[in-house]
Amino acid sequence: MVKLAPGDEPGRLVEDGAGGVHIALRGGHAVVALDPKTWTITTRRPVCAAPRGIAYPPGKERLHVACAGGELVSLQVKIGPPVRVLHLERHLRDVIVAGDLLQVSRFRSGELLTLDATGAVILRRSPPSSSDPEIRNGSTFSPALAWRAVAIQGGVAMVHQRGMVTDVEPSPGGYGGGGGGGKQCDSSIVHTAVTQFPSGMTADDGAAFPRAVVPLDLAIAPSGKSYVVLAAGNAHNDALPKLFVGDFSSFGCAPDSNVLDGAAFASPSGQPIAVAFDGSGHVVVQSREPATIQVLYKPPITVTIAPSNLSREDTGHSLFHANSGANIACATCHGEGGDDGRGWNLSGVGPRRTPSLRGGVMARTPFHWEGDLTDLPALLADVYVGRMGGPIPTEPEAAALASWLDRIPLLGNSPPANPFAVTRGDKAFHDLAGAACAACHGGPQFTGRAMVDVGTGGKLKVPSLLGVGARAPFLHDGRAETLKDRFGPDGGGDQHGKTSNLTDAAIADLVAYLETLRSLPPLAFLVPARRSPIIPPCASSAPCPSSRWSSPGAPGAGCSPTGAASPWGASTRGSCGAGGRCLRAARATRCPSYGRSAAPATAPTSWPARSPTPRAGSAASTRVARSGSGISRPRAAATRSCIARTRTAATRT
């Protein structure tokens, strides 16, 4: 086992020509080199604030690291500082070597950049928009959120999402699956697709997978003709497939299938987050919780390796990423806790841009641009239960989600190119006799949370400016493509700050300052946090079932009181709390006041916790970035009471 620092969050990795393994630390701002023979870290080098993808060009003794802040950093393989740093656009994701060229994907836009040997961008390509009569009655969908890009013969394959361009109904069931030609094509307002980018050519439209929610990973079969998409959002419902098979000759709505090149493979268990193929062509899956590597053979045969017994279970994380039951999740639009950069056309409302959840969203109530949702329970009722068709979260589940959301950090910033411009912009921002930005955007969140008419479309909530540099396009409807455009003719004029007398130089200074805004200290999310209990499902006040629930809506199978399928997975015998949710324990415990129940009838809203502990393991176990990793684990309760011991056990189940 290899120990990393708290919050390092190991992500993509690559093997060099000598067999060394290099891992991008998403939260550690660094790349570490691992000797797999001795399981020791040989070097740790800082690269950027938010490393994402990493690649090794064979024979060139270089590493290329793509960063969410927009840097593309090149390093010598063994030692030394960066040999080249290119500053491209934000939200870089994967980097792929293609001879003397580099292909770099961008997460939020789904764009693929091609760079020549000098570092110049020579080609930009995006997945095509698409429409299919089987999906939402032929509605047009445009690309976003490129979760994974990998090399294929003669090009690149990308698994990404597509969002509906036509009007969306902000009403019950409006976001979820509907309007399709059948169960497998019953798309929500977002669906998953795989696009091919042949070398130097326009992107080819590929297959769509409407039921693949949060497509975290993509693996190409040894034949090169087929692939497997991993849908992390389906991990909490055993009735939904977690892996989807497609081939590069297919287009339109693809059927659910676990048959690859003529052979079926078993279904993975747990919460899968990465997929690959071993040397014999078998599908291999990494699970976040429990920590396992699973080799999938002919059903039902699976070989499981457990590199760690440390639990990463977190109810808030699960609720955020789980398929609501209507082929959509919170993470669908708020990828990695941020936003998809889209402006949605809401019927009866108008265009509305997806807000980011990073940097302490619970301090930014009320929610939505109209400020019509006063708190998280109101938001869950209107959006998660109503528009997304999800089950009603209990109070402890809502508290768990609030705790998890408030720990999503802002993306790290690169050092400013001109610190003097930042200083001037800071002064102008806070000058109430000048631009007067701070009159509305004050306080630690850079928002007074007031409803103000700034000349762009009526009274709207003043948004937080924390992390604003990473949130293009801007304003409530996304009309401003850049921060500079916000100060242009469409920005509201002097209703939106005193901007008419600003010179181009003054605007440039303000933009430089806004680009730096983020919460401090940069690693504030590592402060020990309170954690809510793990709350799996049950059907009534009877003891919880001891096996996994099967199909949505089945009696006694983990349904909410309304009959909607719960997103929670396995449960062990315990007792049910309010709203039909299980409060389970790791072992039977007798408490005088609770009889044979293994947990009290009402769960506390939070649990004491210690600092996050990273899960280290084999190189394979760190292959892909884990969404939401860095969540703290429970510690033993200080009290000796039976109830406290039971509650502590419940968090470990």
Side-chain angles (χ1 to χ4, degrees):
M1 182 175 289
V2 179
K3 289 188 176 181
L4 298 173
D8 269 348
E9 195 179 346
R12 308 277 199 249
L13 60 80
V14 69
E15 183 179 3
D16 65 30
V21 176
H22 305 267
I23 307 167
L25 302 181
R26 292 166 54 95
H29 325 300
V31 168
V32 294
L34 173 70
D35 183 346
K37 297 179 182 178
T38 61
W39 289 105
T40 57
I41 293 176
T42 57
T43 62
R44 180 183 180 115
R45 291 179 283 177
V47 286
C48 61
R52 290 297 186 262
I54 186 169
Y56 167 76
K60 296 191 177 181
E61 296 305 300
R62 289 283 188 271
L63 297 171
H64 301 291
V65 182
C67 304
E71 307 94 333
L72 183 62
V73 182
S74 299
L75 303 161
Q76 294 181 350
V77 167
K78 294 184 178 180
I79 59 172
V83 296
R84 185 179 73 174
V85 179
L86 301 176
H87 292 276
L88 308 175
E89 294 93 337
R90 288 180 183 262
H91 304 290
L92 303 185
R93 184 77 168 185
D94 287 302
V95 55
I96 299 160
V97 176
D100 291 332
L101 305 178
L102 293 178
Q103 313 265 17
V104 184
S105 65
R106 298 183 64 207
F107 179 55
R108 287 164 80 249
S109 66
E111 189 178 24
L112 186 70
L113 309 179
T114 301
L115 284 70
D116 65 15
T118 69
V121 176
I122 59 173
L123 183 62
R124 295 173 178 270
R125 293 175 288 174
S126 296
S129 295
S130 178
S131 63
D132 187 314
E134 287 190 297
I135 301 176
R136 283 270 176 170
N137 294 323
S139 295
T140 300
F141 287 75
S142 63
L145 295 193
W147 291 94
R148 189 75 160 113
V150 298
I152 58 174
Q153 182 68 35
V156 172
M158 176 189 291
V159 62
H160 58 92
Q161 295 177 180
R162 292 189 186 125
M164 199 162 77
V165 175
T166 48
D167 285 358
V168 172
E169 294 294 333
S171 57
Y175 290 3
K183 182 178 180 181
Q184 292 176 346
C185 296
D186 196 17
S187 173
S188 69
I189 59 173
V190 176
H191 65 249
T192 290
V194 173
T195 294
Q196 300 178 70
F197 293 85
S199 180
M201 299 172 62
T202 303
D204 292 336
D205 194 9
F209 301 88
R211 300 216 301 160
V213 176
V214 190
L216 201 59
D217 202 9
L218 171 69
I220 309 302
S223 67
K225 300 178 181 179
S226 304
Y227 54 82
V228 176
V229 173
L230 184 146
N234 291 352
H236 308 278
N237 186 332
D238 280 352
L240 296 174
K242 302 175 181 66
L243 300 177
F244 294 77
V245 175
D247 65 79
F248 289 115
S249 62
S250 298
F251 304 91
C253 177
D256 298 349
S257 174
N258 69 332
V259 178
L260 181 71
D261 296 336
F265 55 85
S267 178
S269 60
Q271 299 176 17
I273 57 170
V275 63
F277 287 89
D278 67 10
S280 300
H282 298 113
V283 178
V284 181
V285 167
Q286 177 191 353
S287 170
R288 173 186 182 274
E289 175 63 28
T292 61
I293 304 296
Q294 304 167 39
V295 184
L296 309 180
Y297 293 89
K298 183 178 179 180
I301 301 173
T302 300
V303 174
T304 300
I305 303 168
S308 172
N309 61 2
L310 301 179
S311 175
R312 310 299 297 180
E313 186 62 274
D314 185 281
T315 295
H317 176 279
S318 295
L319 183 57
F320 185 82
H321 291 89
N323 187 331
S324 69
N327 298 332
I328 194 169
C330 303
T332 298
C333 296
H334 299 282
E336 295 192 342
D339 67 276
D340 55 9
R342 297 186 70 93
W344 297 92
N345 294 310
L346 303 182
S347 296
V349 178
R352 291 293 182 268
R353 193 196 170 291
T354 305
S356 173
L357 306 181
R358 291 183 176 274
V361 68
M362 299 308 296
R364 302 201 288 265
T365 55
F367 297 119
H368 280 185
W369 287 100
E370 285 71 28
D372 54 338
L373 300 175
T374 56
D375 52 22
L376 184 62
L379 180 70
L380 290 172
D382 181 72
V383 179
Y384 182 73
V385 177
R387 306 181 195 186
M388 294 169 60
I392 301 172
T394 63
E395 186 175 333
E397 289 168 356
L401 179 60
S403 175
W404 188 84
L405 289 173
D406 241 12
R407 298 198 301 273
I408 302 174
L410 291 164
L411 290 174
N413 283 342
S414 304
N418 186 345
F420 299 104
V422 173
T423 300
R424 293 191 299 268
D426 184 352
K427 183 177 179 181
F429 183 93
H430 292 91
D431 183 4
L432 298 182
C437 306
C440 292
H441 294 283
Q445 285 280 337
F446 288 85
T447 174
R449 303 189 293 177
M451 303 296 297
V452 179
D453 184 350
V454 296
T456 59
K459 284 191 174 183
L460 299 166
K461 196 189 82 170
V462 176
S464 168
L465 296 183
L466 285 179
V468 68
R471 300 206 307 259
F474 304 99
L475 303 181
H476 72 284
D477 53 5
R479 68 177 67 185
E481 290 293 328
T482 67
L483 281 172
K484 181 180 179 181
D485 293 338
R486 171 263 172 268
F487 295 98
D490 293 332
D494 282 345
Q495 279 186 258
H496 198 175
K498 302 171 185 177
T499 60
S500 59
N501 292 325
L502 292 175
T503 64
D504 288 346
I507 291 174
D509 290 344
L510 277 169
V511 169
Y513 172 67
L514 291 171
E515 290 273 4
T516 68
L517 295 183
R518 56 164 290 122
S519 59
L520 296 174
L523 299 182
F525 66 99
L526 298 181
V527 174
R530 294 179 65 81
R531 178 176 177 175
S532 295
I534 310 309
I535 312 172
C538 56
S540 67
S541 58
C544 300
S546 58
S547 61
R548 289 182 178 271
W549 55 289
S550 52
S551 60
C559 300
S560 72
T562 61
S566 169
W568 314 114
S571 61
T572 55
R573 192 163 295 280
S575 65
C576 287
R581 295 299 172 87
C582 173
L583 307 173
R584 66 175 172 175
R587 57 185 181 277
T589 305
R590 284 184 177 273
C591 299
S593 59
Y594 294 105
R596 297 188 63 182
S597 297
T602 303
T605 58
S606 60
W607 299 85
R610 65 186 178 203
S611 297
T613 301
R615 176 171 54 207
S618 65
S621 73
T622 58
R623 178 176 173 271
V624 170
R626 296 188 296 268
S627 176
S629 63
I631 304 301
S632 58
R633 296 182 295 111
R635 59 187 167 116
T639 177
R640 294 184 179 181
S641 70
C642 177
I643 294 174
R645 291 198 306 273
T646 302
R647 290 177 176 176
T648 303
T651 67
R652 291 177 173 168
T653 304

